Amino acid sequence: MRDKWDDSIDDHRLRPESLMMGYGYNPEWSEGSMKSPVFQTSTFAFPSAEAGKHYFALAYGLEELEEGEEPGLIYSRMNNPDLEILEDRLTLWDDAEAALVFNSGMGAITNTFLSHVKPGEVILHSGPLYGGTDHLVNHTLPELGMITVGFCAGESRETIEARLAAEAPGAHLRMVFLETPANPTNDLIDIEMCAAIARAHATGSDRDPIVAVDNTFLGPLWQRPLDHGADIVLYSLTKFVGGHSDLIAGAAVGSNAMIQPMRAMRTFTGSQASPWTGWLLMRSLETLALRMARQQETAQRVAQFLVEHPKVKSIRYLGLLTSEDPQHEIFKRQSLGPGSMISFEIDGGEEEAFRFLNALRLVHLAVSLGGTESLAEHPATFTHAGVSAEHKEKLGITPALVRLSVGVEYYADLLYDLDQALKAV
Ligand code: PLP
């Protein structure tokens, strides 16, 4: 039998989709149960007082792990077997040393800022960002003393550097945070360019700039930011990884050095996911590659249908980028597939967009994305309602814009529904 940590047979390396059913779990722990049980417990019994003392010393960094030793389980706010197995499985997709699971995508993103950025330091961030993240970087983090400077897709490195110098003169750049493709416009941000900016501001200190990438829209299948110079990859697991619109969770993956401070922050701010959420996510990971491949295949058909439709004024889908578009070169270099998120403008404004949304019968009118069911929403008044009008206009979040997350339904049924709803416009 293979050891629970084996990721290869002889010298044949197994792909993550082949490892999602068993990696990191040994059925012998649980009466031969093929699947890991839900370890629904808040606390763990110590074999002795001495063992409890050693576990706490490890948790507080007062002692180091011995070679081959695994940290003892203490309390489910620190860790739990369902989360530990899930985290081991999550490392495989991005080929990362470590992963950490949180109670939401926002929990993972907030933890990244709190663990790695101090008041007075600068966060350079891309735009647009998911509405919640936008609020965090434009309101919450500045209130905590962090300096945030934004840039848009398509801006040159020189323009970004000039803005940084103008808006945060003399302050230390600590993090470049990007969301690519961006929610809701599918704008691509060049990860390698952002890594080059970070490196240019490095001085060899332990506060050198790091690059964090929200990989929710394409990851983990169609984009691997660590390969392009990112240090931390973030996920709203609520979306494609969970994939069934039945849980809220997030994750951060990266090197041990990046993740370790975040583990401590998670313990003290209490933002871990529950054992049941961890179990559901392991169930979901088994079909992740199947779902994302099918969703992408259907999205390509949907995009082709929309691009030819007279009631559709413009469409943003990575699979439709042509070589004249500067985004095409970034897409070819950085993405492994176009994914299944489509944004398009209805011919008209908010009224026409609402007519379309209200007429949908198979596609559900709801925020969120990446689930098995197709979802449509109106970014300008739903997910990005909190973004200032000036920013919305600059970022292309217009009143006519609709965001569509393509699910696993039969493609012709989706096309029929979209067509009949467009007739209502
Ligand atoms: N990042 C992106 C790109 C998102 O779209 C979302 C939510 O829509 C989040 C982060 C936040 O994730 P969660 O809702 O799991 O906190």
Side-chain angles (χ1 to χ4, degrees), residues 104-107 109 130 133 179 181 183 214 216-217 235-239 248-250 368-369 383 403:
S104 68
M106 288 310 298
I109 293 168
Y130 159 63
T133 315
E179 184 181 294
N183 184 353
D214 184 332
T216 298
F217 263 38
Y235 291 96
S236 167
L237 299 176
T238 313
K239 318 299 183 197
I248 300 275
S368 203
L369 57 109
T383 45
R403 190 190 74 190

